């Protein structure tokens, strides 16, 4: 385990204790998630806000507790391990970054202050024809007196149905290069001309299509600089990839611990199956891989905290790639070791598998992460 400061150790202990109390049993989790169909429970999230936990990474000026990316990763990891249904935290924490760095004072007070009080934020970037190729965005924002008119579709927008605002990326200038002419907008929930439709998934109610039809956004909704959203997006990649990685580290560790508990109790041929070499070696390999992931994540987070302006494309992509692929492997191996019980809804392993499999897709697929890493070597 990586070294934690005394404050971080106390923070992790408090989160673990909270989760044991609030989400420690399957019955509690089913009640909070409508039997596993909803990934975020606003009431539970509000309790965390009251404890001051959602202010991690938010400047104290706006009601936060400061801290850095390492603390944000710690929160994501421990809540994921505790199976707390607070899926809104990931998009919220990632959305916060552009407001901190590029938002107006009024935007910061509203958005960041709301985050510390338990509000959820979402980001609308992907489109039916622009997933891994973000530069292919076609959603248009055309200038009009007093603001912009938005037309287009966004898809796979996590937590749009819960969010107070969407951080929208649209094309404002189609005449420039592929990475030019994009602008960020802060779109309040319920804005006329915006329609949200849920997309059914294996994980339940998580993602959405969002349609914009002659949607008017006033000038003061622009976040940062018009036509300069691309470098603004790039500035937040460290946060997105590391928060996703930390969350999957927590879920992977939970899947691992569940598998270990099972193989210690399950007996075949007169002895616990964990005593068989085939199982024992699997456990040893998975434990080693998870420790590698933890060291990688928190090393990169520490680098980002030491120099917040520094871009870490190679390191952040490595952390996201390694951890999500490892978490998926742990869940798959856990299901194999548990046999039919791993497939049964009675146990959590099937939900671990659903949660970890998609992690290698969202936030940039594993293939894209490998491509980014390769490019940093001049390839």
């Amino acid at each position: 385990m990586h070294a934690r400061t005394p404050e971080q150790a106390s923070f992790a202990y408090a989160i673990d204790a909270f989760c044991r109390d609030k989400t420690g049993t399957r019955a509690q989790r089913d009640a909070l998630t409508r039997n596993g169909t909803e990934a975020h429970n606003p009431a539970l999230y509000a309790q965390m806000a009251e404890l001051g936990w959602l202010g991690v990474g938010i400047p104290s000026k706006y009601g936060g507790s400061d801290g850095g990316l390492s603390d944000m990763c710690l929160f994501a990891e421990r809540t994921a391990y505790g199976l707390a249904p607070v899926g809104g935290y990931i998009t919220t924490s990632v959305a916060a970054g552009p407001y901190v760095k590029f938002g107006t004072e009024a935007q910061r007070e509203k958005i960041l202050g709301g985050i510390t009080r338990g509000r959820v934020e979402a980001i609308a970037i992907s489109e039916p024809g622009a997933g891994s190729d973000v530069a292919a965005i076609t959603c248009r924002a055309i200038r009009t007196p007093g603001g912009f008119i938005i037309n287009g579709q966004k898809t796979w927008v996590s937590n749009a149905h819960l969010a107070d605002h969407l951080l929208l990326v649209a094309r404002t200038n189609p005449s420039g290069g592929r990475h030019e002419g994009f602008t960020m907008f802060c779109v309040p929930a319920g804005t006329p001309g915006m329609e949200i439709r849920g997309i059914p998934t294996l994980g339940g109610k998580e993602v959405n299509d969002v349609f914009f039809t002659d949607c008017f956004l006033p000038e003061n909704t622009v976040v940062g600089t018009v036509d300069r959203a691309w470098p603004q997006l790039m500035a937040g990649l460290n946060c997105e990839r590391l928060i996703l990685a930390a969350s999957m580290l927590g879920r992977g560790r939970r899947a691992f611990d569940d598998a270990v508990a099972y193989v210690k109790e399950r007996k075949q041929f007169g002895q616990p199956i964990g005593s068989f070499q085939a199982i024992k070696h699997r456990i040893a390999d998975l434990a080693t891989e998870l420790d590698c992931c933890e060291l990688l994540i928190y090393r990169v987070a520490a680098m980002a905290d030491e120099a917040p302006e520094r871009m870490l494309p190679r390191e952040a992509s490595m952390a996201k790639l390694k951890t999500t692929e490892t978490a998926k492997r742990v869940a798959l191996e856990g299901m194999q070791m548990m046999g039919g019980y791993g497939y049964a809804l009675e146990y959590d392993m099937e939900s671990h598998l659903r949660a970890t499999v998609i992690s290698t897709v969202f936030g940039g697929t594993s293939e894209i992460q490998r491509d980014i890493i390769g490019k940093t070597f001049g390839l």
Side-chain angles (χ1 to χ4, degrees), residues 124-342:
I125 301 176
S126 295
E127 298 179 3
S132 297
D133 183 11
V134 177
I137 286 174
T138 60
C139 182
R140 286 296 312 276
I142 299 176
R143 273 199 178 276
T144 192
F148 296 81
I149 297 292
I150 314 297
N151 280 285
Q153 178 186 353
K154 294 295 179 177
T155 193
W156 306 118
V157 185
S158 299
N159 301 310
H161 58 295
L162 300 169
D164 271 20
H165 308 83
L166 296 188
L167 184 62
L168 169 69
V169 179
R171 188 177 288 278
T172 42
N173 183 359
S175 63
R178 278 175 50 79
H179 299 138
E180 299 174 349
F182 297 110
T183 302
M184 284 184 178
F185 297 90
C186 175
V187 188
T191 296
M194 179 176 71
E195 180 187 359
I196 298 172
R197 300 180 195 167
I199 302 173
T201 71
L202 283 173
K205 197 172 183 181
E206 295 179 294
V207 294
N208 308 268
D209 282 316
V210 182
F211 300 87
F212 295 91
T213 305
D214 293 332
C215 177
F216 174 74
L217 298 179
E219 190 78 37
N220 64 6
T221 62
V222 171
V223 179
T225 305
V226 173
D227 293 343
R228 294 287 295 165
W230 187 264
Q232 293 175 193
L233 279 173
M234 295 302 102
L237 291 182
N238 293 344
C239 179
E240 179 183 24
R241 291 170 187 164
L242 285 175
I243 294 293
L244 290 170
S247 178
M248 286 303 107
L249 172 63
R251 195 64 183 245
R253 284 208 179 280
R254 182 58 179 261
F256 175 84
D257 285 352
D258 286 354
V260 170
Y262 180 85
V263 301
K264 285 181 177 179
E265 294 178 357
R266 173 69 168 170
K267 291 185 178 181
Q268 291 287 276
F269 308 104
Q271 63 191 77
I273 63 173
S275 65
F276 300 140
Q277 187 180 66
I279 300 295
K280 193 182 301 181
H281 285 190
R282 277 182 176 176
I283 294 295
D285 286 344
L286 296 177
T288 301
E289 292 297 302
L290 285 167
D291 272 10
C292 289
C293 292
E294 180 174 347
L295 292 170
L296 179 57
I297 290 168
Y298 287 99
R299 168 181 168 268
V300 181
M303 293 169 66
D305 286 341
E306 290 170 4
E309 74 288 346
R310 185 180 177 190
M311 298 285 287
L312 299 166
R314 177 189 301 172
E315 295 84 354
S317 287
M318 284 179 172
K320 202 273 181 181
L321 170 65
K322 176 67 174 176
T323 309
T324 56
E325 289 290 346
T326 297
K328 179 174 70 174
R329 178 187 168 192
V330 172
L332 282 167
E333 294 274 16
M335 181 169 284
Q336 189 72 26
M337 286 185 274
M338 291 178 68
Y341 291 106

